[in-house]
Structure formats: structure tokens, C-alpha cells
Amino acid sequence: MPSADTAIARAPILVDAATLSGPRFAALPPLALYVHIPWCLKKCPYCDFNSHEAKGDAPEAAYVDALLADLEFALPSIWGRRVASVFIGGGTPSLFSAGAIDRLLAGIRARVPLAPDAEVTLEANPGTFERAKFAGFRAAGINRLSLGVQSFDPKHLVALGRVHDADEARRAAEAALSIFGNVNFDLMYALPRQTVAEAAADLAAALAFAPPHLSFYHLTIEPNTLFHRYPPPLPDDETAADIEDAVDAKLDAAGYRHYETSAHAQSGRECRHNLNYWQFGDYLGIGAGAHSKLSFADRIVRQLRHKQPKQYLEQVAAGAPLQEDGAVTREDVGFEFMLNALRLTDGVPAALFAERTGYPLVLVRRGIAAAEARGLIERNPALLRPTALGRRFLNDLQALFLADKPREAK
Ligand SMILES: C[S@@+](CC[C@H](N)C(=O)[O-])C[C@H]1O[C@@H](n2cnc3c(N)ncnc32)[C@H](O)[C@@H]1O
Ligand code: SF4
């Protein structure tokens, strides 16, 4: 006999007419602004971000003009909405001068209402570090710095093709903390030939600075990268899992909460901008290849801007920055919400599903039943929260919601 769980999981999802007619929002989600700067000193062999080697100087003045024109073009789609956070990412935004970032932020403030306590983050590469420049970013209004350290081990920095050495990383880290206070370090693990002891030493080197936030990314081999073409010798899955366990235990003991798959923070120092993505908030992305997700009273749209910097500059000048613009379908929205929310250790209140997707939770009933039956999600009607097992097998958990395509009620 099938268990009650299996019976629920197999039952067709019958949705009422209101569910089929499109989303309905009583209030729109919080809004964040992402700004993409697509140039780096040198392309790293593992990176598939929309980043391009700046041959000579990046055209920063023309690009800031284009970003502000792009923002003006987007204003009708966010009219009257307050921006809760700004994230200037890349690429390597710290390649730009403090003057360019100052003009960019002044232009943003003049065009959209920025919350008085808005978190304003800039990504920086230690290879572009100058103390005066960091101080200039702070004076321009950047109040959080995300530093791409990757590793403090000289041999791993070389293997990763980084433009900076360990001393530069240390100097940038020390200056970032003294100038901004609110700082994240990006570190990667499961690096070529990395041992558990080496990863633990990297973490200890990072913890010596006591940054409020640490992001730990499992190095992944992405298509269209040099590492994909010439794969380096990576640690096996067992070693990678041992590194994760060791890192988790040390960070926990040092007072950091593992609040999201790759993110650890001291209390109250979680990244508000990224939390908004994981809680399925709205975001406007400006700049080359930037993605947006915007809600309106009766629909959610996703947009993509032209990816190549040269083409982006031309298309903005022509008044047409968008390469793609389309509504999120009912079939996709449940999966997209769960994909994000289940990355959070605490999950989200179940009521947030309807608030942020505009549809009732019944849309993902089959996935929830299957995840509960496998012990991947907590059995708590008020919460959508992964169990420890669900966090470990996150891909499997997320995949259960892919199949959740509702069938129409007869
Ligand atoms: C846009 S970059 C950050 C800033 C700057 N570009 C830098 O690299 O210093 C974002 C972060 O993604 C991570 N990352 C990039 N490619 C990755 C990959 N293939 N696997 C895992 N993490 C990756 C790195 O930790 C990197 O710092
Ligand atoms: S510096 Fe950062 S964005 Fe640029 S190529 Fe390297 S990892 Fe990618």
C-alpha cells in the first residue's frame, strides 16, 4: 500500500481558476539594484562570469554614462519604488577609479530613491588595491566591500592564475577592514591538489582578520573556461566533503553562522543584497549582461541586457539595452522560488511563497510532499526549510520542484 506521503506526491495538482489566471500581488517585493562592470585585469582560468580582459584602459567614463542612461531607460518599470541595496559586481569594479564610482553613485541617487540605510557593496580584486582608492570608494558611499581573496596560499593563487599574491591579498584585507568595517572575503576550496589541512590553513589565515562575512565557494569547472579545456587535478569528492565539514566546524566555533549554501556571517552581518535574491525579491540589473527580475501587479518579468561590453554601449546609445525580456511562466515560478529559498539554512516562512510569486503554495505541493517523504525538507506547514540532509543534497532537493508543473483542473 502506498503511504499517505506517496499518495499525496502522486496526486495530480488541481489548481483553481484564480491560480491559472496569472499572479496577483497585494504588494510588490523589496527592490535591489545590481550594477555590472565587465572588465578585469586578466581573465582567470576558472571564471565564466561576464568578464573581459581590459586591454589598455576600460572606457570608464563612457560606461558610467551608459549605466546612467540604462537606469533612466528602466525607470518606468520601477517607478516610485525604493531601492533597498546596491551591489556593484563584475568583473572587477575596483578597476574603476574612485571618481567614476562616485559619479555612478551620485547618478543613481539622483534617479532612484535609495533607502537611507541602503547596503552599498562593491566587489574588489586585491590585484587592483590601493589604499587611497579604497578610501575614495568609501567616501563615494560604498559601505561594504567584497574582496576576492580566493586563497592566502601562494601556490594556490598561482594555480588559480590570480593577478595578486598572498601579501597583496593580506594588505588589501587589512585596508578593507580598517576603511569599510563591513567586509566579505570570497574564498574558494577544493582547489587543484588542495588537502584538507591546506584548506584549514587558508581558513585560519582568513579568520585572523575576523571579517564579518565569508563566502566559501566550491571551485566548479565551468564550460567555456580554460580549466574546462585543460582540467587541473582536483581533490576527489570525499576530500571536498571533508574540507566542507572542517570549514563548517571551524567557522561555527569562531561565531559565524552558515546561513546560506556558500555564505557564513557574524550575527547581523548577512549580506542583505544577496538575501533579497534568495527570498525571491525583485532586482533591477543594469550594465552589460545584467539580469533583472521585476514584479508588476499581474506579472513577473525577467530581462537580460546585451552581454558584450561594446554591443551594450552601442545598444544603450540606440535606446535598446535589452537583449531578452519575457514574463516568468506559472510553470517556472514555483521552481525558481524554491531554488533560491532552499539555499537558506533557515528557509523562509511558507507565506512568503504567495507573497513573492503571486500564486498559492499549492503550486509546489507535489514537490513539497516528495521532499518531506525523503526527509529533505522539514515537516512544518509554517516554514519552507531544508533539513540537514536537504542541505547536503541540495541539488536533489531543488530538482524535486522541477517536475512540479501543475495540470489544469477540469
Ligand atoms: C565576480 S567574482 C569577485 C570579484 C573579483 N572579480 C575577483 O575575482 O577578485 C565573484 C566570485 O565568484 C567566485 N568564483 C568565480 N568563478 C568560480 C568558479 N568557477 N567556482 C567557484 N567560485 C567561483 C570567486 O570566489 C569570485 O571571487
Ligand atoms: S577577477 Fe573575478 S571576475 Fe575577473 S576573471 Fe577573475 S574571478 Fe572572474
Side-chain angles (χ1 to χ4, degrees):
M1 253 213 13
S3 68
D5 285 334
T6 330
I8 294 169
R10 286 194 187 142
I13 295 179
L14 299 178
V15 287
D16 60 25
T19 310
L20 292 175
S21 63
R24 289 281 174 273
F25 292 99
L28 296 180
L31 176 68
L33 176 66
Y34 175 76
V35 183
H36 193 76
I37 299 196
W39 291 283
C40 296
L41 282 174
K42 181 173 156 264
K43 183 80 182 172
C44 302
Y46 55 84
C47 177
D48 78 338
F49 282 79
N50 185 27
S51 58
H52 307 264
E53 208 159 298
K55 301 187 178 85
D57 280 343
E60 63 171 37
Y63 195 72
V64 170
D65 288 343
L67 287 170
L68 296 176
D70 188 356
L71 180 57
E72 285 208 352
F73 163 86
L75 285 182
S77 57
I78 55 161
W79 216 236
R81 296 177 67 181
R82 189 141 108 154
V83 171
S85 61
V86 179
F87 194 104
I88 306 177
T92 302
S94 56
L95 258 189
F96 274 23
S97 65
I101 297 299
D102 184 47
R103 191 159 72 84
L104 172 64
L105 285 177
I108 291 172
R109 275 188 229 103
R111 287 164 179 82
V112 292
L114 209 56
D117 64 343
E119 178 189 88
V120 185
T121 305
L122 180 116
E123 280 187 335
N125 180 321
T128 61
F129 164 65
E130 289 162 42
R131 199 179 178 93
K133 200 187 215 189
F134 274 19
F137 291 149
R138 180 74 192 91
I142 300 295
N143 56 29
R144 182 173 183 273
L145 199 85
S146 179
L147 193 64
V149 173
Q150 319 310 345
S151 172
F152 285 101
D153 183 326
K155 81 171 173 293
H156 287 130
L157 289 173
V158 170
L160 290 171
R162 296 290 292 179
V163 292
H164 57 89
D165 61 22
D167 279 346
E168 277 171 303
R170 286 198 168 82
R171 278 202 302 278
E174 182 276 316
L177 281 156
S178 76
I179 293 168
F180 295 91
N182 199 8
V183 173
N184 167 60
F185 293 173
D186 280 343
L187 291 176
M188 294 194 295
Y189 68 93
L191 307 178
R193 296 184 208 279
Q194 190 180 40
T195 63
V196 179
E198 286 171 345
D202 244 355
L203 175 61
L207 284 178
F209 292 96
H213 195 287
L214 274 164
S215 299
F216 263 90
Y217 298 111
H218 188 154
L219 174 66
T220 50
I221 303 299
E222 305 287 348
N224 303 318
T225 61
L226 208 68
F227 272 7
H228 193 257
R229 207 157 355 128
Y230 305 104
L234 295 179
D236 57 26
D237 289 350
E238 209 177 308
T239 309
D242 288 348
I243 292 176
E244 278 165 26
D245 289 343
V247 161
D248 255 11
K250 274 193 200 310
L251 281 170
D252 198 49
Y256 290 77
R257 206 152 172 266
H258 191 177
Y259 71 102
E260 185 270 343
T261 310
S262 307
H264 305 251
Q266 293 172 349
S267 174
R269 298 303 196 110
E270 296 81 6
C271 175
R272 286 193 263 148
H273 183 87
N274 287 342
L275 270 175
N276 184 58
Y277 292 135
W278 299 318
Q279 293 167 346
F280 212 57
D282 276 3
Y283 49 94
L284 170 67
I286 57 172
H291 294 260
S292 305
K293 179 222 147 208
L294 295 170
S295 306
F296 298 85
D298 58 356
R299 69 193 191 285
I300 302 176
V301 301
R302 283 200 180 280
Q303 300 171 337
L304 171 68
R305 277 153 167 81
H306 288 281
K307 206 168 162 195
Q308 292 301 323
K310 183 169 173 287
Q311 193 189 13
Y312 170 77
L313 288 166
E314 288 164 4
Q315 292 294 127
V316 171
L322 299 187
Q323 183 178 316
E324 288 171 25
D325 185 10
V328 180
T329 63
R330 181 170 51 93
E331 284 70 28
D332 289 337
V333 75
F335 171 66
E336 288 187 14
F337 179 94
M338 298 306 285
L339 190 74
N340 284 288
L342 292 172
R343 294 180 64 94
L344 292 168
T345 304
D346 290 339
V348 293
L352 199 74
F353 185 90
E355 232 175 82
R356 298 285 156 91
T357 67
Y359 290 102
L361 189 61
V362 67
L363 204 68
V364 286
R365 191 184 66 169
R366 189 160 35 199
I368 290 175
E372 281 182 356
R374 289 180 178 127
L376 298 174
I377 201 170
E378 277 184 15
R379 285 176 188 278
N380 180 343
L383 271 184
L384 295 169
R385 184 180 190 206
T387 58
L389 191 68
R391 292 204 301 277
R392 185 153 277 251
F393 296 100
L394 184 61
N395 290 344
D396 297 338
L397 170 56
Q398 289 167 328
L400 292 176
F401 293 89
L402 251 187
D404 238 337
K405 307 238 180 210
R407 286 204 265 135
E408 294 186 14
K410 295 239 164 65

